[in-house]
Amino acid sequence: MAQVGKRRSNSSRPIEGGRTARPHKDARVPGRGPVVTASTEALTSKLESRKGPVKVQLNTWVLASTEARLKWLVANQKFTVTSVVDVALQELLDRYDVPSADPDGQIREQ
């Protein structure tokens, strides 16, 4: 069901189990600063860049029927949405003889 009207900036959304996700606030101890909840080492490892090809975000709209088929494929074949979309786009671009790009996303004119 679609929501009608303005969205609240600090709205909460339901998640599994009927609980509600709330905006995260730092744990505070009266008279002191925020409580450190994770080690610096653990945070640093999460922030380190991951190796692999450069990726960019692609936002688009698709038909509801296309989304349903994509969700089925992802659920039943253990693919990811990213890999399915990337392969499908590459096949389409190859079909129309679009020049290849280097790993940094640059097309070298031939």
Side-chain angles (χ1 to χ4, degrees):
M1 179 178 219
Q3 179 180 355
V4 177
K6 292 184 178 180
R7 296 180 87 182
R8 295 179 293 161
S9 62
N10 287 331
S11 65
S12 55
R13 58 185 175 90
I15 56 175
E16 291 183 54
R19 297 180 303 142
T20 303
R22 302 259 182 234
H24 176 69
K25 302 218 189 268
D26 289 334
R28 301 248 178 214
V29 176
R32 298 185 199 164
V35 174
V36 177
T37 57
S39 71
T40 305
E41 216 172 291
L43 290 174
T44 303
S45 67
K46 288 181 183 179
L47 294 174
E48 290 176 1
S49 63
R50 296 178 184 209
K51 296 184 189 313
V54 175
K55 293 182 181 180
V56 295
Q57 186 172 357
L58 176 66
N59 295 318
T60 189
W61 291 87
V62 295
L63 297 174
S65 58
T66 302
E67 181 197 28
R69 295 175 74 198
L70 178 60
K71 284 182 176 182
W72 185 93
L73 182 64
V74 167
N76 291 291
Q77 298 296 322
K78 307 298 185 220
F79 294 129
T80 64
V81 172
T82 299
S83 64
V84 171
V85 171
D86 191 57
V87 168
L89 284 172
Q90 287 196 36
E91 287 184 12
L92 177 72
L93 296 169
D94 289 345
R95 184 181 308 153
Y96 284 95
D97 297 320
V98 175
S100 296
D102 65 18
D104 293 325
Q106 301 297 316
I107 295 178
R108 306 287 182 221
E109 293 300 322
Q110 299 173 12

